Amino acid sequence: MSEHSLGTDSIHTVWDNSLPPALTIRPGDTVSFETLDASDGGVARRAVAGELTGAAELVALAAADAFPQREGPRGHPLTGPVFVEGAESGDALQIDILEARTADWGWTGCRPNGIGLLDAVLAEEGLQPYTHLWDLRERTHTDFRPGIRLPLAPFPGVMGVAPAAPGPHPTAPPRQVGGNMDIRQLVAGSTLFLPVEVPGALFSVGDLHAAQGDGELSGTGIECAGQVTLRFRLERGAGLTTPEFITPTQGGTSTRWHATTGHHPELMTAARIALRALLHRLQARGLTLEEAYVLASACVDLKISQIVDAPNYTVSAFLPLDIFEGD
């Protein structure tokens, strides 16, 4: 059993089974991956350009991590791929998440007409592009503003292996071999199983989040760079058709939650109704529309409460009340 490391000089931004391996390992080996944030340094470059607001110390911290814009296709910057000796189509690659460590800062953003759940709706209400910088140096928690503190639970948003179909494939949509799943329960202590479709599996990882609510509602969690340490094993002939995982948590440490609900025959509409109601609650606490949206993306859990009571689905949005001091 060997230990390896892979740095950010081994970055790709598409899924493609023709990419040469950056590292070859054996089952049982451990790899520590250095990862970049989902913007591929774009937020840090905006800090250098003076386009971000926030505490001067935090803006300077972000600016110090700037590097030139990458040429080639846009996508999540992924570290890899790793070739696992002996992995064949029909096997399952077992990934034990040993540790996830964040950089010193992170960001969450929203913008009208982006990919967030309410972007188009809120654009009509005057939503403005907004990027919030977070101080992650405490490692256990981060303050959104005085009186609002979020616990940190780092996890990689993207873990996947190469698809059998010839590439390149974009990194944004998750697929049967993993990828951009954004499952916040894949913290340290979890195990992910991915269907292998090509020899060696060709595993890559990236898109580290310091925290996120179920749903990643504005399109971003607390995005950050960092380090992820993983152990790899093989389950021969597993016959998986979709990713599976074991986790020590369902997420969330709050003792009380305030939930809003949405009811509609179309699931996305029900989700939007629930989230919009919750944003009203946050705005009533003195947050701007933009602040409410990014805070919700960082900590609010969206859940399907029922899917069988025709004709309406019920979606509930859960706000952890323990983030508010004195509540």
Side-chain angles (χ1 to χ4, degrees), residues 134-188:
W134 304 83
D135 188 339
L136 305 180
R137 288 175 291 184
E138 290 290 341
R139 305 304 174 197
T140 57
H141 64 270
T142 181
D143 291 331
F144 181 68
R145 57 188 285 183
I148 304 178
R149 174 169 290 182
L150 271 64
L152 300 184
F155 72 96
V158 177
M159 290 187 285
V161 296
H169 303 279
T171 62
R175 41 180 55 88
Q176 78 280 1
V177 287
N180 188 32
M181 299 182 290
D182 289 319
I183 299 172
R184 75 181 185 102
Q185 289 79 14
L186 289 174
V187 294

Side-chain angles (χ1 to χ4, degrees), residues 185-312:
Q185 289 79 14
L186 289 174
V187 294
S190 301
T191 298
L192 175 65
F193 302 87
L194 297 174
V196 175
E197 291 192 354
V198 300
L202 297 177
F203 173 90
S204 300
V205 62
D207 189 30
L208 186 62
H209 296 153
Q212 179 202 289
D214 284 330
E216 198 180 25
L217 302 175
S218 77
T220 52
I222 300 183
E223 311 288 336
C224 60
Q227 184 181 73
V228 181
T229 302
L230 309 172
R231 181 174 57 234
F232 296 88
R233 291 180 279 182
L234 288 176
E235 186 178 350
R236 301 290 186 184
L240 262 66
T241 58
T242 191
E244 301 177 6
F245 63 95
I246 299 169
T247 177
T249 178
Q250 290 193 40
T253 59
S254 189
T255 58
R256 294 187 309 135
W257 305 74
H258 184 107
T260 56
T261 64
H263 312 272
H264 196 274
E266 204 278 319
L267 191 60
M268 289 292 284
T269 302
R272 291 186 176 109
I273 292 170
L275 177 56
R276 189 65 192 92
L278 194 61
L279 296 190
H280 280 303
R281 283 283 180 179
L282 289 171
Q283 288 177 273
R285 288 177 174 267
L287 274 63
T288 67
L289 177 62
E290 293 79 14
E291 289 174 333
Y293 199 18
V294 299
L295 178 62
S297 197
C299 69
V300 167
D301 293 331
L302 208 62
K303 299 182 183 294
I304 298 174
S305 295
Q306 70 81 19
I307 204 168
V308 296
D309 295 335
N312 288 342

